[in-house]
Amino acid sequence: MVATNRIYDIGTSVWLDDLSRDLLNGQGNFETFLLERNILGITTNPSIFSAAISAGGDYDRQLEELRKEGVSAEEAVYRMSIADVQQACDVIDPIYQDTNGRDGRVSIEVDPRYAHDEEKTIAQARELWKQVGRRNAMIKIPATDESLPAITTALSEGISVNVTLIFSVDRYKQVIDVYKEGIKLAAKNGHDVEHIHSVASFFVSRMDVEVDKRLETIGTDEALALRGRAGIANARLAYRLFLDSFNDLDELPPRANKQRPLWASTGVKNPEYPKNMYVVELAGPDTVNTMPMGTIDAVNEMNELKGDTLTHGDEAAKQVFDGLEQVGIDMDDVIAVLEREGVEKFVTAWQDLLDSTETKLNS
């Protein structure tokens, strides 16, 4: 049995953090590709689409058709990305049916340039939900101050939401609150809440990149001993909040679903760390781990699992954060930097994609 199957037995669903036309239409059968690796969902983001559309000739035929129509670069990008998401949704729909909507999901993100604009965020979330037109789609909305109300509104209208770019437990608490509010409103609005699902995407490896850099600047033995531990500790504290927040479902409408934590940014950035560390150390009930293909391969090749590493991991996680504070790491500043850079990186990738698409349309 491959490790990704055993991870599912522990309670973690593996989603692929990648999507491209080459992956969908390349050699081999995409459905078989997913089944062999026990991949139960797919996530995308502006960086992924930028790499996919800019990389090769897989989109040239559609680009030529769009050029003849005279569409803008922005419209072209959305037409191409929506087509990919629709195709992926159709392929993975049997998993959606088998899991009653829990898995078998494909996410597509609102324009990151709208991250600080509630009205534009919810308007595009509605439009993407309508244009994709698949019951197993998820709309990704960032957990910025301005976009939190848009998450509530989207859920209240029956839109399944992947809340993205979460870096702190405090922010995650806000995300849980707006989820619960949105689900209650959805029930009041007459939606069947059993079919509304949401995940909260907690970014992991980026935390270690930022904290490790600061620990190495401090340079003491105590500081260096904490490298590579902040991201996992942060996620484990978030998982404790999840358990406490969804322990009693009586406060939610009947048949409402838990908003599962999703571990994102789980590709290891430091080559000195095990490639599977953000999977092995974050396995537990009611979770999702979205991985780039290299991480999925590493997990299956190493085949090393420790069982549930989340449910009782919060006390050790608190000790890590105490240690970080003692050596002088300002975690509030770390979070502020990560939240700002998280949006900026996606905006940059999106703008690069628009620019390259504009060039192709005009060539």
Side-chain angles (χ1 to χ4, degrees):
M1 179 186 293
V2 295
T4 44
N5 286 75
R6 291 164 53 215
I7 291 168
Y8 182 77
D9 291 338
I10 296 168
T12 299
S13 296
V14 173
W15 290 7
L16 174 65
D17 195 28
D18 194 11
L19 184 63
S20 67
R21 202 153 293 181
D22 177 63
L23 187 61
L24 289 164
N25 300 329
Q27 293 183 351
N29 182 282
F30 183 55
E31 184 176 8
T32 301
F33 169 87
L34 298 175
L35 290 172
E36 288 177 347
R37 295 159 179 81
N38 200 36
I39 295 170
L40 303 178
I42 299 167
T43 56
T44 63
N45 61 49
S47 297
I48 288 172
F49 274 127
S50 180
I53 295 175
S54 302
D58 298 295
Y59 299 85
D60 286 351
R61 178 179 297 179
Q62 188 175 5
L63 272 168
E64 177 61 22
E65 294 172 355
L66 294 169
R67 186 185 66 78
K68 292 177 181 178
E69 291 182 36
V71 304
S72 67
E74 186 170 335
E75 175 68 14
V77 165
Y78 271 107
R79 295 264 287 271
M80 290 185 292
S81 57
I82 285 171
D84 285 358
V85 169
Q86 288 174 325
Q87 185 176 349
C89 281
D90 292 343
V91 170
I92 210 167
D93 188 69
I95 295 173
Y96 171 90
Q97 296 181 55
D98 290 343
T99 61
N100 197 31
R102 181 179 172 88
D103 290 310
R105 296 280 181 172
V106 184
S107 298
I108 183 170
E109 189 154 349
V110 299
D111 190 326
R113 297 173 300 177
Y114 301 159
H116 301 294
D117 189 318
E118 176 191 347
E119 293 305 318
K120 287 185 178 179
T121 293
I122 186 57
Q124 191 172 66
R126 290 171 177 142
E127 186 62 20
L128 285 173
W129 184 253
K130 176 183 176 182
Q131 291 296 324
V132 173
R134 300 296 190 274
R135 60 184 180 175
N136 56 332
M138 269 188 168
I139 307 303
K140 293 179 79 173
I141 300 176
T144 58
D145 285 324
E146 298 84 355
S147 289
L148 287 171
I151 295 165
T152 296
T153 302
L155 290 164
S156 76
E157 296 176 4
I159 298 172
S160 292
V161 178
N162 179 337
V163 184
T164 189
L165 288 176
I166 306 172
F167 293 97
S168 73
V169 175
D170 288 342
R171 179 68 78 187
Y172 180 40
K173 175 64 168 61
Q174 293 178 295
V175 169
I176 292 172
D177 289 343
V178 298
Y179 169 74
K180 290 182 176 180
E181 181 183 358
I183 287 297
K184 291 175 184 177
L185 288 172
K188 284 185 179 181
N189 292 338
H191 294 286
D192 186 348
V193 295
E194 184 179 14
H195 297 302
I196 305 173
H197 284 259
S198 180
V199 292
S201 295
F202 212 88
F203 280 50
V204 184
S205 67
R206 293 190 193 182
M207 170 72 71
D208 279 333
V209 170
E210 181 64 27
V211 172
D212 284 4
K213 179 175 63 178
R214 300 183 186 210
L215 291 170
E216 288 165 3
T217 298
I218 295 169
T220 63
D221 289 343
E222 293 81 4
L224 295 177
L226 290 165
R227 287 179 297 179
R229 300 180 67 187
I232 290 169
N234 197 36
R236 286 176 174 171
L237 292 176
Y239 187 72
R240 170 46 55 187
L241 176 60
F242 161 74
L243 292 178
D244 293 343
S245 299
F246 290 96
N247 181 52
D248 182 7
L249 293 181
D250 289 343
E251 62 179 308
L252 292 177
R255 299 191 302 165
N257 298 292
K258 299 177 183 179
Q259 183 192 49
R260 287 185 295 171
L262 181 152
W263 313 127
S265 185
T266 55
V268 174
K269 306 296 192 295
N270 188 329
E272 295 180 6
Y273 299 157
K275 293 181 179 180
N276 64 355
M277 65 182 277
Y278 297 124
V279 180
V280 172
E281 302 297 340
L282 296 175
D286 293 317
T287 58
V288 178
N289 195 311
T290 181
M291 316 175 199
M293 196 61 241
T295 302
I296 292 175
D297 288 341
V299 169
N300 284 327
E301 288 168 5
M302 294 179 178
N303 207 29
E304 300 169 1
L305 295 177
K306 301 178 182 179
D308 178 358
T309 50
L310 284 172
T311 302
H312 303 290
D314 52 304
E315 287 303 321
K318 291 176 185 176
Q319 293 176 15
V320 171
F321 269 66
D322 288 344
L324 291 170
E325 182 180 0
Q326 289 169 11
V327 299
I329 298 297
D330 183 347
M331 289 305 297
D332 288 339
D333 186 66
V334 168
I335 297 301
V337 168
L338 290 173
E339 288 184 347
R340 184 184 68 251
E341 289 184 348
V343 174
E344 289 175 351
K345 287 177 180 178
F346 280 169
V347 169
T348 297
W350 196 248
Q351 191 60 55
D352 289 345
L353 175 56
L354 291 176
D355 291 343
S356 63
T357 303
E358 181 76 36
T359 299
K360 290 182 179 181
L361 288 172
N362 293 329
S363 62

